[in-house]
Amino acid sequence: MKLALATAIGAFSLDEDLAPLREACAEAGIEAHALAWDDPTVGWARFDAVLLRSTWDYTGRLPEFLAWCERTAAVTRLWNPPGVVRWNTDKRYLGELARQGVPVIESHFLAPGDDPATLPDLEEFVVKPTVGAGSRDAQRYVRDERAAAIEHARRLLDQDRHVLVQPYLKAVDEQGETALLFFDGQFSHAIRKGPLLKHGQGPTRALFAAEHIQSRTPSAAEHEVAAKVLAALPFDTLPYARVDLLPSADGPQLLELELTEPSVFLPYGPGAADRFVAALKRRLG
């Protein structure tokens, strides 16, 4: 069996999941190749499946990436499928999940043509594009910096980008963010991320902001929220999903649901790479 691990040229040396994933594939009898998604010389049809891994440069060229997903899925299996990718690459899905009763961080959306001065009046908050990854173009503000936040939103809107505004949950500064990993719908492991957005720090220009990661055992409440998130999805069980939660006074709340190209933090979960590959092998038949 042959599996393509789709990445980006700039991510080859940054993706910590690639090495353990390739090793686990080899042990399971799967021939895995890490290839750039936008390499025109690759014949994707020669693989039994293509697994989206670290295609982290797509956010600035989303139409091109979505078109590639459709073409690839037409000649082989793409995980996750194009419909999932299209839905998940725009954070307006958070509004859809919130309407279904999922505990989502309070989210306000601005569309091109909206007045950025209508962004909500919050004590401390984050402004970011709805299409983005790795904290790129995201920045944290306090109420006294509202004028700067409005200009940030205006720049994004002028680029024909939708904007998401959320309150900054201060508990993350002490407790961090919890990411729960699921392979084929089954919980595998979880990690803790330290806070990414420091006050006064501008948006990162790198593929993603530097992260401080460690293993974590999720609470019962975090498991419960993650289960609600996955149950609310308009898709069948997926090969992989990452549920990112933040602590709040009302309990864990969904920050993001990563179904496209998430780091799955294999080095932080003993046996995680083997569990991931076993799930993929079952799908490969």
Side-chain angles (χ1 to χ4, degrees):
M1 288 182 276
K2 297 177 68 174
L3 177 67
L5 308 175
T7 182
I9 291 175
F12 270 99
S13 62
L14 302 174
D15 184 354
E16 295 183 350
D17 292 321
L18 277 181
L21 186 55
R22 293 173 76 172
E23 182 178 345
C25 281
E27 292 177 357
I30 298 173
E31 184 182 331
H33 298 263
L35 300 162
W37 70 271
D38 57 352
D39 183 345
T41 68
V42 177
W44 301 101
R46 65 189 178 92
F47 294 97
D48 296 294
V50 176
L51 180 68
L52 294 173
R53 289 311 320 124
S54 41
T55 56
W56 296 331
D57 60 353
Y58 76 86
T59 56
R61 45 208 284 228
L62 182 58
E64 179 185 351
F65 179 65
L66 293 175
W68 172 83
C69 287
E70 293 287 355
R71 291 195 307 272
T72 303
V75 298
T76 188
R77 287 170 284 196
L78 180 69
W79 297 324
N80 283 325
V84 176
V85 173
R86 188 176 298 277
W87 182 83
N88 185 238
T89 46
D90 190 318
K91 293 180 180 63
R92 284 178 288 177
Y93 70 78
L94 291 171
E96 181 179 328
L97 293 177
R99 289 189 291 274
Q100 295 185 61
V102 173
V104 174
I105 294 173
E106 178 187 341
S107 300
H108 305 268
F109 299 94
L110 296 172
D114 289 345
D115 182 356
T118 61
L119 61 80
D121 181 24
L122 300 168
E123 179 183 352
E124 193 164 8
F125 56 99
V126 174
V127 174
K128 56 186 172 183
T130 62
V131 176
S135 298
R136 291 195 301 281
D137 294 319
Q139 192 158 354
R140 175 179 167 186
Y141 297 96
V142 295
R143 180 173 281 132
D144 289 347
E145 298 168 325
R146 182 177 175 82
I150 290 173
E151 284 309 305
H152 181 182
R154 188 188 310 280
R155 288 193 300 274
L156 295 172
L157 294 170
D158 287 348
Q159 297 168 13
D160 204 33
R161 303 170 78 182
H162 290 252
V163 173
L164 170 60
V165 183
Q166 295 175 310
Y168 185 81
L169 302 183
K170 294 184 178 180
V172 72
D173 289 338
E174 293 185 359
Q175 300 178 42
E177 170 186 334
T178 299
L180 292 85
L181 282 303
F182 294 83
F183 301 140
D184 235 355
Q186 300 298 310
F187 173 72
S188 170
H189 62 290
I191 58 95
R192 176 195 184 275
K193 286 186 187 179
L196 290 176
L197 294 176
K198 295 181 172 57
H199 179 241
Q201 180 175 294
T204 181
R205 296 181 179 275
L207 270 180
F208 57 85
E211 298 177 332
H212 303 284
I213 309 296
Q214 60 186 130
S215 299
R216 166 172 278 183
T217 300
S219 67
E222 288 170 331
H223 272 292
E224 183 179 350
V225 170
K228 287 182 180 178
V229 172
L230 297 181
L233 292 184
F235 312 106
D236 292 333
T237 301
L238 299 172
Y240 59 89
R242 195 183 91 198
V243 182
D244 293 351
L245 304 177
L246 291 185
S248 79
D250 298 318
Q253 295 187 329
L254 179 67
L255 172 65
E256 289 187 34
L257 173 62
E258 299 276 9
L259 305 178
T260 302
E261 34 54 68
S263 292
V264 289
F265 306 111
L266 298 179
Y268 299 90
D274 292 332
R275 288 191 292 275
F276 193 11
V277 170
L280 298 177
K281 192 169 184 178
R282 287 193 295 272
R283 288 176 176 260
L284 284 169

